[in-house]
Each structure stands twice: as C-alpha cells, then as structure tokens.
C-alpha cells in the first residue's frame, strides 16, 4: 500500500484526523486533480 493509499485510509477511518498534516492533505488533493489557489493581500 502506497503513501497516498495509507493517507486516504487514515482520513476515511476518522480515528487520527488531528495527526494529518495540512501539507499532506494538499499533496493528496493535488494528486486527485485539484488546483491549489492561494488568495492573499498584495500590498
């Protein structure tokens, strides 16, 4: 089982949601085809 499969299993299991990093979620969503859009103040 690969890294992404383990992460999906962890998320769907719901037992360790607090232990999943934001960067891991972003990488997983990018793998599923989502685009990262960052919005901020340009001063």
């Amino acid at each position: 089982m690969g890294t992404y499969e383990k992460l999906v299993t962890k998320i769907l299991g719901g037992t360790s949601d607090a232990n999943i990093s934001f960067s891991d979620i972003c990488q997983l969503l990018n793998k599923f085809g989502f685009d990262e859009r960052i919005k901020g103040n340009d001063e």
Side-chain angles (χ1 to χ4, degrees), residues 30-41:
N30 283 334
K31 180 163 176 58
F32 285 140
F34 287 87
D35 292 327
E36 188 172 339
R37 294 184 291 174
I38 299 173
K39 207 173 189 182
N41 284 339

Side-chain angles (χ1 to χ4, degrees), residues 1-10:
M1 185 182 288
T3 304
Y4 293 115
E5 289 87 2
K6 288 180 185 177
L7 184 57
V8 169
T9 303
K10 213 188 252 192

Side-chain angles (χ1 to χ4, degrees), residues 5-38:
E5 289 87 2
K6 288 180 185 177
L7 184 57
V8 169
T9 303
K10 213 188 252 192
I11 292 169
L12 294 177
T15 56
S16 59
D17 290 343
N19 297 328
I20 300 170
S21 72
F22 182 72
S23 63
D24 286 344
I25 296 290
C26 288
Q27 289 175 3
L28 181 65
L29 291 174
N30 283 334
K31 180 163 176 58
F32 285 140
F34 287 87
D35 292 327
E36 188 172 339
R37 294 184 291 174
I38 299 173

